[in-house]
């Protein structure tokens, strides 16, 4: 099996090193194409107005001045022949659940692989913030290999990717794996105004405390309760339930 791994935290991210070790439990043929710099929050964006600069770090490992989406396209369309059998995106420093999947560059890397017809999985690790990030990387590194070996055997329909989130707790306290729905979060972003050294204002997006949806099967609730969350996501954004309603209204 040929594996491509990417991320949105950048080529020097510790989570990328963790993911490489995880990937090597599945195959010896592992390629890395990752953004040169942190691309968190850029979602499924493309670089169209400037060139893509590619740097070879070592054999089968490349840094690209671009987004996670750019990285997957570069790997599949330019670097890898034959194409990979599996795209793994992550391991993200922080959970990617509920509405956050729409912002996530990690999820976007898996989305692009799915668009190109390749089985793709996004992987994220929740953490504690106390005077800085406290990352329990051992949770995902311990549990992901066995889980991935099961997931890659599943015959997924076209246009479907998997979003995996690992809880912020000791490995021996993880309660199991649940298949979840994409949950909802109350919007926690705000804009903070600051002042530079010359007295001019500038602004910074800031995360705030958010409540999660009460749905019993939501991804955010699962990891909050100590479970690994596996959420199947699909690229088709059509609201099929509303189609008939709109069609009826247009016939009047």
């Amino acid at each position: 099996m040929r594996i491509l791994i990417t991320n949105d935290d950048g080529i020097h991210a510790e989570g990328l090193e963790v993911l490489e070790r995880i990937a090597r439990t599945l195959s010896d043929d592992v390629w890395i194409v990752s953004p040169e710099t942190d691309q968190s929050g850029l979602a499924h964006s493309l670089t169209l107005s400037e060139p893509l600069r590619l740097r070879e770090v070592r054999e089968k490992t490349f840094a690209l001045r671009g987004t996670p989406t750019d990285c997957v396209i570069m790997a599949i369309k330019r670097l890898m022949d034959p194409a990979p059998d599996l795209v793994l995106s992550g391991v993200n420093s922080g959970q990617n659940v509920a509405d956050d999947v729409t912002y996530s560059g990690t999820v976007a890397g898996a989305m692009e692989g799915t668009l190109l017809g390749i089985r793709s999985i996004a992987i994220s690790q929740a953490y504690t913030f106390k005077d800085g990030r406290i990352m329990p990387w051992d949770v995902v590194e311990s549990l992901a290999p066995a889980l991935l070996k099961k997931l890659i055997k599943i015959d997924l329909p076209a246009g479907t990717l998997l979003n995996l989130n690992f809880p912020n707790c000791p490995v021996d306290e993880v309660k199991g794996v649940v298949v979840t729905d994409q949950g909802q979060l109350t919007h926690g972003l705000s804009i903070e105004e600051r002042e530079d050294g010359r007295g001019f204002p500038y602004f910074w997006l800031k995360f705030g405390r958010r409540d999660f949806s009460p749905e019993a099967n939501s991804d955010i609730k699962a990891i909050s309760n100590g479970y690994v969350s596996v959420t199947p996501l699909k690229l088709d954004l059509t609201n099929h339930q509303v189609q008939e309603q709109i069609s009826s209204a247009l016939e009047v």
Side-chain angles (χ1 to χ4, degrees):
M1 180 169 55
R2 172 168 276 203
I3 300 176
L4 166 65
I5 67 176
T6 191
N7 71 348
D8 70 354
D9 290 329
I11 191 69
H12 300 295
E14 188 175 358
L16 188 68
E17 297 176 6
V18 172
L19 185 55
E20 181 179 2
R21 293 195 293 269
I22 292 170
R24 293 195 183 282
T25 68
L26 306 175
S27 173
D28 292 328
D29 191 4
V30 177
W31 291 64
I32 301 171
V33 183
S34 175
E36 186 76 72
T37 59
D38 190 338
Q39 301 290 298
S40 297
L42 291 186
H44 195 206
S45 58
L46 293 165
T47 301
L48 299 176
S49 300
E50 56 187 73
L52 299 174
R53 305 289 184 182
L54 186 69
R55 176 173 66 89
E56 185 171 4
V57 178
R58 61 179 188 274
E59 184 181 5
K60 296 184 179 180
T61 299
F62 299 84
L64 182 73
R65 287 194 175 274
T67 68
T69 301
D70 295 329
C71 289
V72 174
I73 295 172
M74 177 66 74
I76 295 171
K77 296 294 186 180
R78 183 75 182 183
L79 298 173
M80 300 178 69
D81 187 14
D85 305 295
L86 176 67
V87 174
L88 298 177
S89 186
V91 173
N92 191 67
S93 175
Q95 64 198 36
N96 276 305
V97 294
D99 307 319
D100 287 346
V101 302
T102 62
Y103 300 113
S104 170
T106 301
V107 174
M111 288 177 64
E112 189 60 34
T114 303
L115 280 171
L116 294 173
I118 298 167
R119 180 188 300 271
S120 300
I121 302 174
I123 307 174
S124 302
Q125 174 64 60
Y127 66 84
T128 299
F129 192 90
K130 185 177 181 181
D131 298 324
R133 298 186 184 191
I134 302 174
M135 294 298 311
W137 293 119
D138 59 317
V139 177
V140 62
E141 189 163 356
S142 298
L143 302 178
L147 179 56
L148 288 171
K149 287 175 184 177
K150 294 178 181 179
L151 293 176
I152 61 178
K153 295 178 182 179
I154 299 172
D155 186 17
L156 296 174
T160 300
L161 60 136
L162 299 179
N163 185 32
L164 276 55
N165 281 274
F166 289 78
N168 175 32
C169 63
V171 176
D172 58 4
E173 293 182 12
V174 176
K175 297 177 182 177
V177 180
V178 292
V179 181
T180 58
D181 302 321
Q182 181 186 340
Q184 291 183 322
L185 290 168
T186 58
H187 199 283
L189 289 172
S190 60
I191 297 179
E192 182 176 293
E193 183 174 354
R194 301 181 183 180
E195 191 175 275
D196 67 17
R198 295 189 295 166
F200 295 110
Y202 67 96
F203 302 90
W204 204 276
L205 279 176
K206 182 180 180 181
F207 286 105
R209 183 175 178 83
R210 293 180 290 179
D211 297 324
F212 60 84
S213 61
E215 286 84 357
N217 202 45
S218 67
D219 47 12
I220 181 65
K221 188 164 187 175
I223 64 168
S224 297
N225 289 334
Y227 290 91
V228 178
S229 168
V230 178
T231 311
L233 304 175
K234 61 179 183 177
L235 299 179
D236 181 5
L237 300 180
T238 307
N239 190 331
H240 296 282
Q241 295 178 337
V242 180
Q243 282 181 319
E244 185 175 344
Q245 177 185 350
I246 295 174
S247 295
S248 298
L250 294 178
E251 291 173 358
V252 176

